[in-house]
Amino acid sequence: DFEVEINNASINVSGDVDKTKIDKLRTITTGDITVETLTESKENLAIINAYEAGRSEGDVILTNANINVTNNVNKAEADIINAYNTSANKTVSLTSLTDTFEHIKTLQNTDGIVMTSAAITTTDEVSFDDAKTLNDFTDGQVTLNKVADSYANIQNILGLNDSEVIMSDASI
């Protein structure tokens, strides 16, 4: 006969997982659970990151994980999540981002942060040049809440494709 015990085993999980799958794995081992790709909300990512090995559940290791955030974050939240995976060439992909122009620009230049498909919303005044910069960051839609620029440049913003940059509800 053949018997395998994994209750103390370290587990390396390939492919994409979420909190439900991780919680299930934690019930079968007290060893480390190393995740390759994790897709979850910022709230569940914080819960998973706080997991520690216990008497009946394993610790979850995110240092080598690529992380996909499924809900909206700001810069501070993105920075916290980016600290979960500390290995080189690992990423945190944002789905939606709301913050000031400067914070968004800083995130764009942060190692590990990917916003190429994110919906981006600015919370402060931006100009036409800022709108173009934000649009270059993502293939997703950029929503401007406040615009401050010349009449001609505001018209230039209005001339941008609404599927890329929208300011219909913006304060001007």
Side-chain angles (χ1 to χ4, degrees):
D1 285 340
F2 186 104
E3 188 174 309
V4 176
E5 287 188 26
I6 64 168
N7 59 331
N8 294 317
S10 294
I11 299 174
N12 292 318
V13 184
S14 61
D16 193 9
V17 295
D18 59 12
K19 184 178 178 298
T20 301
K21 292 175 183 171
I22 288 172
D23 287 346
K24 186 173 280 188
L25 290 170
R26 291 185 77 225
T27 66
I28 63 173
T29 186
T30 57
D32 290 344
I33 301 165
T34 303
V35 177
E36 180 180 279
T37 303
L38 175 60
T39 300
E40 256 310 339
S41 68
K42 63 186 173 189
E43 296 84 4
N44 283 341
L45 289 168
I47 291 168
I48 293 165
N49 188 61
Y51 284 160
E52 294 181 5
R55 297 174 78 186
S56 61
E57 61 271 329
D59 188 12
V60 179
I61 310 299
L62 299 178
T63 54
N64 293 313
N66 288 308
I67 299 172
N68 302 306
V69 185
T70 60
N71 58 346
N72 189 65
V73 296
N74 60 33
K75 180 186 180 303
E77 293 164 332
D79 285 339
I80 290 167
I81 295 166
N82 196 34
Y84 298 162
N85 63 350
T86 55
S87 296
N89 301 318
K90 297 301 174 184
T91 60
V92 172
S93 296
L94 306 179
T95 302
S96 181
L97 172 63
T98 300
D99 214 319
T100 65
F101 172 74
E102 287 302 320
H103 284 168
I104 294 166
K105 192 166 80 172
T106 299
L107 273 177
Q108 172 65 19
N109 296 317
T110 300
D111 286 342
I113 297 288
V114 177
M115 62 177 79
T116 54
S117 298
I120 297 175
T121 302
T122 59
T123 59
D124 61 339
E125 289 184 347
V126 295
S127 67
F128 173 59
D129 288 340
D130 296 340
K132 288 190 311 185
T133 298
L134 292 167
N135 194 34
D136 288 341
F137 292 165
T138 184
D139 294 332
Q141 187 174 54
V142 175
T143 302
L144 310 177
N145 282 323
K146 298 175 187 174
V147 176
D149 211 328
S150 68
Y151 176 82
N153 280 342
I154 291 171
Q155 297 309 305
N156 288 335
I157 294 171
L158 290 171
L160 296 172
N161 187 331
D162 279 351
S163 67
E164 295 176 11
V165 178
I166 191 166
M167 62 172 266
S168 59
D169 294 329
S171 300
I172 300 175

